[in-house]
C-alpha cells in the first residue's frame, strides 16, 4: 500500500519572490517616511516656539510687566529659548529677572532665522503686544525655521502670531 504525503510550506522560488516584493515596497516607503519625520521635527520645533510666545504674552498680561523670550545662550535660538520676566525692560535676562520656563533646543539641524525682528529677544508688554525692548515700538517680522529643505514660519504682528508653511507670511 502506498501512501501519498502532503507537503506543506513554500518553495524556495516562492520565498524569494515574496522577499523581492517586500524589499521593493520597503525601498519605496523609506523616502516618504524620512520626509514625514523631517516635517514632524520641524512642526514640533515651530509649535514649541509658538507655545513659548503665547506663554510670554499671557504672563506679561497676568503679571503687569514686560515678559521676554530669548535664546538660552543669549545669542543663538538653536540653543533653545527661555521665557523670563524682563523687569527693567532692557532686553537681557539679568540676575534679578525671574525665569518662567526654559524650552529645550530644537532637533539638531533645525535652522532658525529672524527677519525684521530683534535678533535675540521678543518682549511682550502688559497689554500683550510685542514691542522692541526699551521702547513702545511695535514689532513686525517673522522667524523662519528650516529642517532638511522644509520651512515653517512664525509670522509676528503687534497683536497676532500665526504659523504658516514655507518661508513667507504672505
Amino acid at each position: 500500500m502506498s501512501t501519498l504525503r502532503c507537503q506543506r510550506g513554500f518553495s524556495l522560488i516562492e520565498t524569494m519572490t515574496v522577499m523581492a516584493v517586500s524589499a521593493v515596497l520597503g525601498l519605496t516607503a523609506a523616502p516618504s517616511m524620512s520626509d514625514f519625520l523631517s516635517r514632524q521635527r520641524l512642526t514640533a520645533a515651530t509649535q514649541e516656539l509658538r507655545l513659548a510666545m503665547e506663554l510670554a504674552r499671557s504672563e506679561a498680561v497676568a503679571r503687569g510687566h514686560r515678559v521676554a523670550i530669548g535664546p538660552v545662550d543669549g545669542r543663538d535660538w538653536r540653543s533653545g529659548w527661555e521665557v523670563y520676566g524682563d523687569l527693567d525692560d532692557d532686553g537681557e535676562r539679568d540676575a534679578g529677572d525671574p525665569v518662567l520656563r526654559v524650552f529645550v533646543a530644537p532637533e539638531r539641524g533645525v535652522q532658525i532665522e529672524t527677519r525684521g525682528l530683534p535678533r535675540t529677544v521678543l518682549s511682550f508688554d502688559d497689554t500683550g503686544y510685542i514691542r522692541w525692548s526699551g521702547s513702545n515700538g511695535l514689532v513686525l517680522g517673522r522667524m523662519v525655521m528650516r529642517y532638511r529643505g522644509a520651512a515653517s514660519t512664525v509670522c509676528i504682528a503687534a497683536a497676532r502670531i500665526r504659523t504658516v508653511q514655507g518661508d513667507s507670511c504672505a
Side-chain angles (χ1 to χ4, degrees), residues 78-133:
R78 291 177 298 177
S79 68
W81 40 88
E82 57 190 0
V83 176
Y84 59 93
D86 191 9
L87 301 178
D88 58 359
D89 188 23
D90 65 351
E92 295 179 10
R93 188 171 64 79
D94 303 315
D97 291 338
V99 176
L100 306 176
R101 181 161 175 197
V102 177
F103 291 80
V104 299
E107 183 76 27
R108 186 178 170 107
V110 172
Q111 299 170 340
I112 304 172
E113 174 187 342
T114 60
R115 295 184 184 169
L117 299 174
R119 292 187 59 117
T120 59
V121 68
L122 294 173
S123 180
F124 292 83
D125 70 7
D126 59 352
T127 61
Y129 287 109
I130 302 174
R131 302 207 183 253
W132 290 90
S133 295

Side-chain angles (χ1 to χ4, degrees), residues 63-86:
R63 293 171 182 261
H65 62 75
R66 292 280 180 119
V67 174
I69 171 177
V72 169
D73 73 358
R75 299 177 318 275
D76 188 358
W77 289 94
R78 291 177 298 177
S79 68
W81 40 88
E82 57 190 0
V83 176
Y84 59 93
D86 191 9

Side-chain angles (χ1 to χ4, degrees), residues 14-169:
E14 290 171 329
T15 303
M16 296 300 285
T17 302
V18 168
M19 289 177 65
V21 169
S22 297
V24 168
L25 290 175
L27 289 173
T28 57
S32 60
M33 182 57 114
S34 176
D35 290 345
F36 172 75
L37 290 175
S38 293
R39 285 191 307 273
Q40 287 302 106
R41 288 183 176 124
L42 181 62
T43 299
T46 305
Q47 288 176 344
E48 284 287 299
L49 184 60
R50 274 290 302 272
L51 174 64
M53 289 179 185
E54 295 299 335
L55 174 65
R57 170 179 279 161
S58 65
E59 287 293 324
V61 172
R63 293 171 182 261
H65 62 75
R66 292 280 180 119
V67 174
I69 171 177
V72 169
D73 73 358
R75 299 177 318 275
D76 188 358
W77 289 94
R78 291 177 298 177
S79 68
W81 40 88
E82 57 190 0
V83 176
Y84 59 93
D86 191 9
L87 301 178
D88 58 359
D89 188 23
D90 65 351
E92 295 179 10
R93 188 171 64 79
D94 303 315
D97 291 338
V99 176
L100 306 176
R101 181 161 175 197
V102 177
F103 291 80
V104 299
E107 183 76 27
R108 186 178 170 107
V110 172
Q111 299 170 340
I112 304 172
E113 174 187 342
T114 60
R115 295 184 184 169
L117 299 174
R119 292 187 59 117
T120 59
V121 68
L122 294 173
S123 180
F124 292 83
D125 70 7
D126 59 352
T127 61
Y129 287 109
I130 302 174
R131 302 207 183 253
W132 290 90
S133 295
S135 79
N136 283 327
L138 296 174
V139 173
L140 302 171
R142 58 189 161 169
M143 292 183 83
V144 180
M145 302 182 91
R146 297 181 194 283
Y147 186 72
R148 295 190 178 173
S152 182
T153 302
V154 178
C155 303
I156 299 168
R160 183 175 178 212
I161 300 170
R162 64 188 174 97
T163 306
V164 297
Q165 296 302 315
D167 63 358
S168 174
C169 289

